[in-house]
Amino acid sequence: MLLALLLCYLGFTALCLSTDRHHGELLHSKPSPKRRLVLRLGGWLLLIVSIWPAVRVIGWSQGLVEWCAVLMCSALLLVLLLPYRPRLALILAGVSLLASPVAAFAAL
């Protein structure tokens, strides 16, 4: 479930960075139309791919339920961090990006 959590957090962070407001707060610039499109597509792709580790471990019936829980937890974490610790939210996204291959390798 760790891999699903990391992928969900990365996906939500990418979707968050695709907006002008959050991109400006975190990266101090406005996203170009191409970057906005890449962040949106990447965010949705990461959220879709995050279903795979949850379903692979437990099965479709319980895996989807746990994936929904992981989805809500990662979104809640990001929503709570953005107003108070926006830099920490960005740092956690970087850590998630680096830890995802390790978690994928450990899940095999």
Side-chain angles (χ1 to χ4, degrees):
M1 280 322 217
L2 176 64
L3 181 59
L5 179 69
L6 295 172
L7 291 174
C8 285
Y9 187 79
L10 278 171
F12 279 128
T13 305
L15 288 174
C16 174
L17 287 174
S18 70
T19 64
D20 289 333
R21 177 181 174 196
H22 295 300
H23 197 279
E25 285 177 359
L26 296 173
L27 301 177
H28 306 294
S29 65
K30 289 185 76 171
S32 65
K34 183 178 178 182
R35 179 180 279 184
R36 183 180 295 126
L37 179 66
V38 168
L39 285 169
R40 281 188 187 153
L41 289 175
W44 283 112
L45 182 66
L46 284 167
L47 289 176
I48 291 169
V49 168
S50 69
I51 297 172
W52 172 74
V55 169
R56 190 177 81 75
V57 172
I58 301 171
W60 280 100
S61 60
Q62 194 65 24
L64 286 177
V65 172
E66 289 194 12
W67 175 74
C68 286
V70 166
L71 199 66
M72 288 186 291
C73 288
S74 61
L76 179 66
L77 178 64
L78 185 62
V79 165
L80 291 176
L81 284 177
L82 277 177
Y84 302 109
R85 302 276 184 201
R87 280 294 182 198
L88 182 59
L90 200 59
I91 290 170
L92 281 178
V95 169
S96 295
L97 183 65
L98 293 175
S100 291
V102 175
F105 185 71
L108 296 175

